[in-house]
Amino acid sequence: RRTTEDFQIKNHFEFITLGSLHKVLNEDNYTYSNADKFDLIVVDESHKFRNDYTEMYIALQEICKKPRSRPSEMATFARKSSLFQQPR
Protein backbone atom coordinates (compact mmCIF):
# COMPACT_ATOMS: atom_id res chain seq x y z
CA ARG A 1 0.00 0.00 0.00
CA ARG A 2 2.82 2.36 0.79
CA THR A 3 4.26 1.99 -2.71
CA THR A 4 0.95 3.06 -4.25
CA GLU A 5 0.97 6.12 -1.99
CA ASP A 6 4.61 6.92 -2.84
CA PHE A 7 3.83 6.85 -6.55
CA GLN A 8 0.50 8.64 -6.05
CA ILE A 9 -1.50 5.86 -7.70
CA LYS A 10 -3.42 4.71 -4.63
CA ASN A 11 -6.75 5.75 -6.13
CA HIS A 12 -6.26 3.31 -9.01
CA PHE A 13 -5.89 0.23 -6.81
CA GLU A 14 -8.27 -1.97 -4.90
CA PHE A 15 -6.56 -4.11 -2.28
CA ILE A 16 -8.10 -7.52 -1.70
CA THR A 17 -6.83 -10.05 0.81
CA LEU A 18 -6.14 -13.56 -0.43
CA GLY A 19 -8.94 -14.92 1.74
CA SER A 20 -11.45 -12.60 0.06
CA LEU A 21 -10.83 -13.53 -3.57
CA HIS A 22 -14.05 -15.53 -3.65
CA LYS A 23 -15.99 -12.35 -2.75
CA VAL A 24 -14.83 -10.71 -6.00
CA LEU A 25 -16.48 -13.55 -7.92
CA ASN A 26 -19.74 -13.17 -5.98
CA GLU A 27 -21.72 -10.58 -7.95
CA ASP A 28 -24.12 -10.14 -5.02
CA ASN A 29 -21.28 -8.95 -2.76
CA TYR A 30 -20.98 -5.18 -2.96
CA THR A 31 -17.91 -4.95 -0.72
CA TYR A 32 -15.58 -5.47 -3.70
CA SER A 33 -15.75 -4.66 -7.40
CA ASN A 34 -16.81 -7.48 -9.70
CA ALA A 35 -14.07 -9.48 -11.39
CA ASP A 36 -14.72 -7.99 -14.83
CA LYS A 37 -13.75 -4.51 -13.58
CA PHE A 38 -10.09 -5.44 -13.05
CA ASP A 39 -7.65 -4.78 -15.90
CA LEU A 40 -4.49 -5.44 -13.93
CA ILE A 41 -3.98 -7.86 -11.07
CA VAL A 42 -0.86 -7.65 -8.93
CA VAL A 43 -0.27 -10.55 -6.56
CA ASP A 44 1.91 -10.08 -3.53
CA GLU A 45 3.20 -13.28 -1.95
CA SER A 46 2.55 -15.25 -5.12
CA HIS A 47 4.29 -18.27 -3.58
CA LYS A 48 0.91 -19.00 -1.97
CA PHE A 49 -0.41 -19.90 -5.44
CA ARG A 50 1.99 -22.78 -6.15
CA ASN A 51 -0.70 -25.44 -5.94
CA ASP A 52 -3.30 -25.24 -8.70
CA TYR A 53 -5.91 -27.19 -6.74
CA THR A 54 -6.41 -24.74 -3.86
CA GLU A 55 -9.51 -22.56 -3.56
CA MET A 56 -7.39 -19.38 -3.68
CA TYR A 57 -5.64 -20.47 -6.90
CA ILE A 58 -8.93 -21.40 -8.56
CA ALA A 59 -10.54 -18.09 -7.52
CA LEU A 60 -7.57 -16.07 -8.87
CA GLN A 61 -7.67 -18.05 -12.11
CA GLU A 62 -11.40 -17.33 -12.52
CA ILE A 63 -10.84 -13.61 -11.91
CA CYS A 64 -8.04 -13.51 -14.50
CA LYS A 65 -10.16 -15.28 -17.11
CA LYS A 66 -13.19 -12.99 -16.83
CA PRO A 67 -13.73 -10.83 -19.91
CA ARG A 68 -13.29 -7.08 -19.55
CA SER A 69 -16.30 -4.90 -18.77
CA ARG A 70 -14.99 -2.18 -21.10
CA PRO A 71 -12.89 -2.45 -24.27
CA SER A 72 -9.12 -2.35 -24.16
CA GLU A 73 -6.93 0.00 -26.19
CA MET A 74 -7.23 -2.49 -29.05
CA ALA A 75 -11.07 -2.38 -28.85
CA THR A 76 -11.41 -5.94 -27.56
CA PHE A 77 -13.15 -7.27 -24.49
CA ALA A 78 -10.79 -10.23 -24.19
CA ARG A 79 -8.95 -10.68 -20.90
CA LYS A 80 -5.20 -10.48 -21.16
CA SER A 81 -3.54 -12.84 -18.70
CA SER A 82 0.18 -12.79 -18.07
CA LEU A 83 2.23 -14.56 -15.48
CA PHE A 84 5.49 -13.01 -14.42
CA GLN A 85 7.81 -15.18 -12.43
CA GLN A 86 11.24 -14.26 -11.19
CA PRO A 87 13.89 -16.63 -12.62
CA ARG A 88 15.61 -18.85 -10.09
Side-chain angles (χ1 to χ4, degrees), residues 3 13 17 23 27 30-31 37 43 45 49 60 68 72 77 82 85:
T3 301
F13 276 80
T17 62
K23 294 179 183 177
E27 294 182 7
Y30 298 109
T31 307
K37 301 290 183 201
V43 178
E45 298 190 41
F49 292 92
L60 181 62
R68 298 172 188 259
S72 68
F77 286 90
S82 298
Q85 186 174 2

Side-chain angles (χ1 to χ4, degrees), residues 27-64:
E27 294 182 7
D28 294 328
N29 185 331
Y30 298 109
T31 307
Y32 298 104
S33 297
N34 289 336
D36 61 348
K37 301 290 183 201
F38 297 103
D39 289 328
L40 174 67
I41 298 170
V42 178
V43 178
D44 188 17
E45 298 190 41
S46 60
H47 64 276
K48 294 184 179 182
F49 292 92
R50 286 183 291 208
N51 301 317
D52 60 356
Y53 53 84
T54 63
E55 286 183 36
M56 285 191 322
Y57 184 97
I58 293 167
L60 181 62
Q61 186 178 41
E62 283 185 51
I63 292 168
C64 290

Side-chain angles (χ1 to χ4, degrees), residues 13-26:
F13 276 80
E14 185 171 343
F15 293 94
I16 301 166
T17 62
L18 297 179
S20 296
L21 289 176
H22 66 284
K23 294 179 183 177
V24 173
L25 294 167
N26 180 356

